[in-house]
Structures are given as C-alpha cells and as structure tokens.
Amino acid sequence: MSTEPEVLIRIEGAVGRITLNRPGALHALTTNMCRLMIDALQTWEDNPIVKLVLIDHSGERGFCAGGDIRMLAESGAGDGAAAREFFHTEYRLNHLLFHYPKHTIAIMDGITMGGGVGLSRPCRFRIATERTTFAMPETGIGLFPDVGGGWYLPRMPDSIGLWLALTGARIKAADCELVGVATDYIESAAVDRFKQGLVADPAHMETLLTEMEADPGRPPLAAHQDEIHRIFGLGSVEEIVAALEREDTDWAGEQLKVLATKSPQTLKVAFRQLKLGAEARTFADNMAMEYRIGARVVRRHDFLEGVRAVIVEKDNAPKWSPASLEGVTEAMLDEIFAPLPSDQEWTPLP
Ligand code: QUE
C-alpha cells in the first residue's frame, strides 16, 4: 500500500508549500486533505519564517477536479454524516484562505473545477496557464456550485457567474482573467522557473510575475457577454429558458441543449444560492448557507442519480426527479435552504 501523503506540506526558503498529491483522482479533495491544509495554514500564520504560501499540484494532470464525489454519494445514500463532515471541513478551509493574513498563490496549471476553485479563488494571486480549464460542473451531477460559489459567482460581471453555474461551462485562461478567476497568466513551461524564483526571493514575486506574464489571447466569452447579461440577468430559471427559446441564434440553442441535461433541482438551487449569496453580508454567512444546502442535497435523489450516471456507471443519462423545472417547487427549495438545528450549523474555525 502506498504511504504517499495526499498533500505534501513543507517550507522552502520563506515559502510555505502545499502540493496536492492525489494524482490518480485528479487531486480531488478528501476530508483528510482539507485537514492537512488547515493545520499547515494555521501553523504558518504564526511562523515568521513563512512570508507566503504557494498551492500547486504534483504530476502532470490537473490542479484539482473537485471533491471526493464517490465518498459523498456513498455517505448521502446512508446517514450523510461523512458528507457533512467533509463539507464542514472544506468550507472552513475555504474561509481560512479567504481571510488568510499572508500572501497566497495558487497555480491552476490544468483542470480547476469545483473544490479546486474553492482552494484557488480565495488566494490573492491566481495563476492561469494555457492548460487551465475552469468550471463549476455541479449542476451535471445534482450537487450545487459550492465552495464559495454563492459569494464569487454573483460578483462576476454581467451575470457570467450564473451562466457558469447553470451551464457548467468550461472556460480557458483568457476568460478566467475576464471574470476574475485568474489574476495572472504565464506559460506552463515557465511555472517551474516561477516557483524557483519565489523560493529564492519571495519579496520579488510581483516583479517575477511581471517578467513572466504572457498573453492568453482574446477571451472568447467577450463575444457573448451582452447576451449573457441580457438573458442570465433575468429573474428566474424559467425566464432564462424562455428567453433562450425566443432567441434565434446557434449560441442560444446550444445553451438550451446544455441546460436540458442538467438537474432541474440543482438549476433552481443554484439560482437561489447566487441570489442569496449576492446579498450575503460576509463570506462566512455565505458558507453557512452553502453548508445547509450541502447537508440536504447529498441525501436527495438527484445527487445520487447524477453520481451514478456521470461518475460511476458513466452512461451520462441521469433520470432527474423532478424531471422538469415546473416540478421543482418553492416549498422544496425552502426545505433545502432551511436553517439546521443551531448545534449543527456551519461555523468558521475558532
Ligand atoms: C461534477 C463534479 C465533479 C466531477 C464531475 C462533475 C467533481 C469531481 C470529479 C472528479 C473527476 C475526476 C476524478 C475524480 C473526481 O468530477 O467534483 O476523482 O478522477 O471531483 O460533473 O462536481
């Protein structure tokens, strides 16, 4: 049995280094990985040697595909306790990074989805490369765009965040800069040199970034920004779908086709989540809301069915229930968003 730790933690020079190390699962996060990262970050907060924290991944493929979805589904099929424990821990990590007092840098050199977004987005510097692919794909498996999606997505320009949340669209580096997911772009061939430069002299990080900054090209999303704003800024998922149906463009037709494959329950959950998240006073308030949602949806039909269809059996033919948007009632959503008993609510790290 392998004894490789799932996260490599060490200090190099003045840099606290966190390297995701679960390459067989595209570094999808486990509860244990979140705990290891929390412990390291808390230790480094008080360690004057550590000037900045660098988060990256081992091996060639991907930064982080998300969370340990199979575990979540197995837990959700039972009492859901392990799933709640995972969300509770993961969201504490997201929140710790959001308020972290030292510079944090994430290198998104590959797939950065779901849980990987929760790790990288709160970092102060978020480096994209030509290999970066960003998405919040959860509507496709009946989950929801968590890890702070309720906070970040509605704060993107022109309702692009809601479009990303509902369609699960994948975007590349130039679009990541357009919507604020990435702060900088360098070529993946320069990543090792960048890391070595950081370790050698962390004080010169910004100079280093300026020297290495490359051109990610034009953002393809800019061509659709106006219609995304006009359509995804509407007041309900039904209105968005109706507007897309009235639109006579290939793009609108593609969006409709994509939305038709997603969980109707999750579409409406995500819509309400982003509405409430837009109004949330603090990131912690948003995470408490997301924890309520997570605790409920992992035990519901659509998540178990989505994981079966997309991850386990891979027939990609989930049978959603309710099968249509009309079937997803406000009462159902009220149950999913309702407060938990006060001793079970999410709280940030003490
Ligand atoms: C939605 C998701 C995830 C997903 C697919 C979705 C997710 C996740 C993975 C994933 C992918 C490859 C792996 C792995 C997990 O896929 O969160 O272990 O090797 O982690 O449609 O939310």
Side-chain angles (χ1 to χ4, degrees):
M1 208 184 104
S2 159
T3 50
E4 274 277 290
E6 293 178 332
V7 183
L8 308 176
I9 309 270
R10 71 274 186 216
I11 297 173
E12 289 180 4
V15 180
R17 293 203 53 182
I18 293 179
T19 300
L20 304 176
N21 189 38
R22 215 177 149 236
L26 263 173
H27 311 290
L29 302 178
T30 62
T31 308
N32 175 53
M33 290 164 80
C34 295
R35 287 209 182 100
L36 291 170
M37 288 188 264
I38 288 171
D39 288 347
L41 288 164
Q42 287 191 317
T43 306
W44 294 340
E45 239 177 273
D46 302 320
N47 183 346
I49 292 182
V50 175
K51 301 292 186 224
L52 63 86
V53 173
L54 175 64
I55 307 179
D56 63 1
H57 70 275
S58 66
E60 281 297 302
R61 287 173 66 239
F63 172 66
C64 176
D68 187 354
I69 295 294
R70 280 171 195 258
M71 179 284 283
L72 291 178
E74 276 163 27
S75 172
D79 66 4
R84 287 192 295 280
E85 188 183 21
F86 171 72
F87 288 138
H88 202 278
T89 312
E90 184 187 34
Y91 298 177
R92 281 186 155 185
L93 171 61
N94 300 150
H95 180 264
L96 176 62
L97 284 165
F98 187 93
H99 290 293
Y100 203 66
K102 300 186 178 186
H103 276 348
T104 45
I105 307 171
I107 304 197
M108 305 180 286
D109 186 21
I111 285 185
T112 303
M113 299 190 187
V117 175
L119 275 188
S120 56
R121 187 59 189 77
C123 288
R124 172 78 178 279
F125 297 91
R126 307 176 292 278
I127 318 292
T129 74
E130 77 283 358
R131 303 202 289 199
T132 303
T133 299
F134 166 99
M136 291 301 281
E138 292 88 351
T139 51
I141 57 167
L143 197 55
F144 70 111
D146 65 344
V147 294
W151 181 268
Y152 295 113
L153 294 166
R155 287 167 178 77
M156 288 180 183
D158 290 339
S159 300
I160 294 174
L162 184 65
W163 172 75
L164 287 167
L166 297 185
T167 62
R170 297 177 172 211
I171 59 173
K172 303 291 291 175
D175 285 334
C176 286
E177 284 200 335
L178 176 75
V179 300
V181 161
T183 56
D184 300 270
Y185 176 81
I186 65 177
E187 286 170 2
S188 64
V191 165
D192 277 344
R193 224 164 7 103
F194 174 65
K195 292 180 196 172
Q196 285 159 16
L198 271 188
V199 169
D201 188 0
H204 282 93
M205 173 189 46
E206 297 192 52
T207 324
L208 210 56
L209 269 179
T210 310
E211 272 170 30
M212 293 190 173
E213 183 89 59
D215 179 10
R218 288 165 180 271
L221 253 185
H224 298 291
Q225 211 163 337
D226 288 347
E227 54 206 319
I228 289 175
H229 176 62
R230 180 160 45 77
I231 296 170
F232 286 80
L234 292 170
S236 68
V237 183
E238 285 93 338
E239 285 172 64
I240 291 168
V241 168
L244 286 168
E245 282 167 347
R246 283 194 302 272
E247 202 88 353
D248 193 20
T249 63
D250 289 348
W251 180 85
E254 282 159 26
Q255 308 314 304
L256 277 172
K257 247 196 231 158
V258 169
L259 291 176
T261 67
K262 307 301 183 187
S263 155
Q265 172 193 287
T266 307
L267 292 175
K268 285 198 174 175
V269 165
F271 187 90
R272 187 189 279 204
Q273 175 203 356
L274 268 58
K275 270 269 167 303
L276 293 174
E279 297 158 7
R281 203 176 48 80
T282 64
F283 188 72
D285 286 349
N286 176 75
M287 297 322 293
M289 166 186 66
E290 292 188 6
Y291 183 72
R292 293 171 177 175
I293 304 171
R296 268 57 174 260
V297 299
V298 285
R299 303 191 64 193
R300 295 182 69 95
H301 166 84
D302 272 12
F303 176 59
L304 304 178
E305 171 62 6
V307 173
R308 181 206 63 74
V310 176
I311 312 265
V312 179
E313 294 177 25
K314 301 189 203 298
D315 60 30
N316 287 309
K319 294 190 174 55
W320 304 124
S321 173
S324 69
L325 290 170
E326 303 77 70
V328 184
T329 63
E330 290 301 305
M332 220 177 263
L333 295 172
D334 289 344
E335 264 175 46
I336 291 171
F337 282 79
L340 294 159
S342 60
D343 61 335
Q344 293 169 32
E345 293 273 25
W346 181 84
T347 53
L349 285 159

